[in-house]
């Protein structure tokens, strides 16, 4: 018999689904702003040099926007990748490992990205 109802995958929670939806909406807005500010307006005079980027990051809202963009991208992408892995129906031990691995990866990439952002904005 063919199932017609939708059932949640093992390890899928409503809160993670809601976070993925909210971060997706935030990403839509921030990615548009990022593309316009960094890749359209920012490149009107040609390719930006390192000193151009440092000067650009002196404006207080640019590092703040980029920090939110970084955290949002990391959160959305790791939850999405976790959802794809759930389709493979990993065992409980493997799912626990994946959860911790993604937390460590997300924290590591996030800390590194925010540190780099602070260093460049502070120059």
């Amino acid at each position: 018999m063919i199932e017609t109802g939708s059932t949640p995958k093992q390890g899928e929670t409503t809160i993670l689904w809601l976070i993925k939806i909210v971060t997706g909406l935030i990403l839509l807005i921030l990615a548009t702003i990022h593309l316009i500010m960094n890749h359209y307006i920012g490149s009107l005079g040609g390719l930006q040099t390192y000193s151009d980027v440092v000067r650009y990051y002196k404006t207080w809202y640019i590092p703040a926007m980029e920090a939110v963009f970084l955290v949002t991208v990391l959160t959305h992408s790791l939850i999405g990748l976790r959802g794809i892995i759930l389709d493979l129906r990993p065992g409980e031990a493997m799912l626990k490992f994946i959860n911790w691995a993604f937390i460590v990866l997300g924290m590591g990439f996030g800390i590194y990205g925010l540190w780099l952002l602070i260093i460049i904005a502070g120059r």
Side-chain angles (χ1 to χ4, degrees):
M1 176 164 237
I2 297 174
E3 289 186 37
T4 58
S6 176
T7 58
K9 299 176 225 175
Q10 173 197 356
E12 191 174 48
T13 64
T14 303
I15 190 72
L16 286 178
W17 181 81
L18 287 173
I19 291 171
K20 189 169 56 172
I21 296 300
V22 169
T23 57
L25 292 173
I26 294 170
L27 275 178
L28 187 62
I29 295 164
L30 288 180
T32 302
I33 294 169
H34 173 86
L35 287 171
I36 291 169
M37 295 295 291
N38 292 352
H39 302 287
Y40 179 68
I41 295 173
S43 65
L44 286 177
L47 291 176
Q48 292 184 344
T49 64
Y50 178 75
S51 59
D52 292 334
V53 173
V54 170
R55 187 172 41 258
Y56 179 68
Y57 273 67
K58 292 292 183 190
T59 309
W60 70 269
Y61 59 87
I62 297 300
M65 182 191 72
E66 295 295 334
V68 173
F69 188 48
L70 170 69
V71 171
T72 306
V73 165
L74 280 171
T75 303
H76 185 80
S77 63
L78 289 174
I79 292 173
L81 185 56
R82 182 183 178 275
I84 292 170
I85 292 172
L86 285 177
D87 287 338
L88 301 173
R89 301 182 189 271
E92 201 169 312
M94 179 57 77
L95 184 57
K96 191 172 189 175
F97 171 77
I98 290 166
N99 288 339
W100 280 107
F102 280 10
I103 289 169
V104 169
L105 280 172
M107 294 295 287
F109 287 133
I111 289 168
Y112 173 71
L114 293 174
W115 171 80
L116 193 58
L117 190 65
I118 291 167
I119 294 297
I120 292 173
R123 293 199 172 192

